[in-house]
Amino acid sequence: MTRLLPMAGQRGFSLVEMVLALALLALASVVLAQVGVLPVRLYDVNARRTAAMAELEAALALIHQETVTALPGSLRWTAAGARQAVELLRVRSSGRYRLAAPGDPLEFAPAPLDDRFDVLGPAVEAAVGDQMAIGPFGAGADPYRPEYRRAYAGPAGTVTQVQFLPAGAPYPAPAPAHRFHLLSGAVSLMCDPAQGTLTLFEGYAPQAAQPVEPSAAPLAGARQGLLAEGLTRCQLRHLAAAPGRPGRLLVELSKQAGEDVIRLYREFTLP
């Protein structure tokens, strides 16, 4: 039998060299594993941050849309404990009423009570269940009081004459520029810090007192939409109008996104 003998000058690995080689191999494996995991972690962090930012931005965009289409002078604020709510009246369409002949003008005389008028200018959109309001509002003129609103009684669609149900008395006073508004209903935005939510309530009739309890009428029967959840901070503030300065709505939202906290603040100028 032929035996293979080591060549002169050759020797095997020592135990120390083998242990050192295995340690280096393990260290390289750990480094390579971390290099592979790091991009995944960064992607996850960025995805959470982007999702949280998008959720808050979408909520603020909807709030902006509601303030733009709100009846001027209709925003009001209230709180019940830590819960805060802002309410406004959503305008479907606006126009000018005819004040004098020819045509059918809006009469402010106490008798007989008027129940219709011609639209002066472009036709307006109307729907069954709408209410009509004639301002201006503010300085004691509250659009949530029934004497400033009438139930729309005409057909749905584009109309050139507005019909409404008399309320036992004429409107208190003509509006500047003869403006009227058709309202599709009331809208509430509610911050609930205990639940960490911002919720929209819509499609309910205006009330004299501002509702703030979600489980009671009219909010319990309203359509609800969750605008944001998992909030670490949700704050609504209303700064009333002052001479030479319009009213403002201040909104602050915060949401945890992994180890980061996304905070957004907006100030909306009210019509």
Side-chain angles (χ1 to χ4, degrees):
M1 177 181 297
T2 303
R3 298 180 62 185
L4 298 176
L5 298 175
M7 296 178 61
Q10 284 188 333
R11 66 183 182 84
F13 290 106
S14 68
L15 180 60
V16 173
E17 290 172 332
M18 291 184 64
V19 170
L20 182 59
L22 291 174
L24 291 174
L25 181 61
L27 179 61
S29 299
V30 171
V31 171
L32 291 175
Q34 291 299 320
V35 170
V37 169
L38 184 58
V40 176
R41 289 181 177 175
L42 290 176
Y43 174 82
D44 183 62
V45 169
N46 288 334
R48 291 185 181 184
R49 186 185 296 116
T50 301
M53 181 72 74
E55 181 182 5
L56 299 186
E57 288 285 7
L60 292 172
L62 189 143
I63 294 174
H64 175 256
Q65 181 63 28
E66 292 295 347
T67 58
V68 168
T69 58
L71 176 69
S74 69
L75 190 142
R76 57 183 180 176
W77 177 94
T78 191
R83 189 186 300 131
Q84 308 158 45
V86 165
E87 187 179 34
L88 50 83
L89 299 177
R90 183 184 288 167
V91 174
R92 183 185 306 279
S93 60
S94 300
R96 299 177 63 197
Y97 58 83
R98 185 174 292 278
L99 190 61
D104 191 346
L106 175 61
E107 301 288 350
F108 288 85
L113 290 176
D114 203 355
D115 64 354
R116 69 192 63 206
F117 59 82
D118 288 344
V119 177
L120 185 62
V124 296
E125 290 295 324
V128 175
D130 283 355
Q131 293 196 341
M132 183 188 67
I134 293 180
F137 301 109
D142 184 357
Y144 292 93
R145 288 165 50 185
E147 60 262 36
Y148 290 98
R149 292 179 285 109
R150 302 288 186 271
Y152 175 72
T158 303
V159 298
T160 58
Q161 185 181 71
V162 174
Q163 303 173 37
F164 57 93
L165 298 179
Y171 269 102
H178 311 159
R179 300 286 294 178
F180 72 92
H181 308 273
L182 291 178
L183 312 175
S184 60
V187 175
S188 282
L189 297 161
M190 186 172 297
C191 276
D192 191 337
Q195 301 296 325
T197 57
L198 173 62
T199 307
L200 172 75
F201 299 84
E202 62 179 348
Y204 63 92
Q207 311 289 313
Q210 183 177 355
V212 71
E213 177 52 58
S215 60
L219 299 183
R223 297 190 299 272
Q224 301 182 24
L226 187 62
L227 303 186
E229 59 182 341
L231 299 176
T232 56
R233 183 174 178 81
C234 181
Q235 187 172 31
L236 304 172
R237 292 178 59 200
H238 176 214
L239 301 182
R245 188 172 185 179
R248 290 170 293 157
L249 173 63
L250 280 58
V251 183
E252 183 180 357
L253 303 175
S254 298
K255 185 178 177 71
Q256 193 80 28
E259 297 180 357
D260 298 326
V261 177
I262 307 299
R263 294 186 178 91
L264 295 183
Y265 176 87
R266 291 289 189 278
E267 183 175 308
F268 302 102
T269 299
L270 302 175

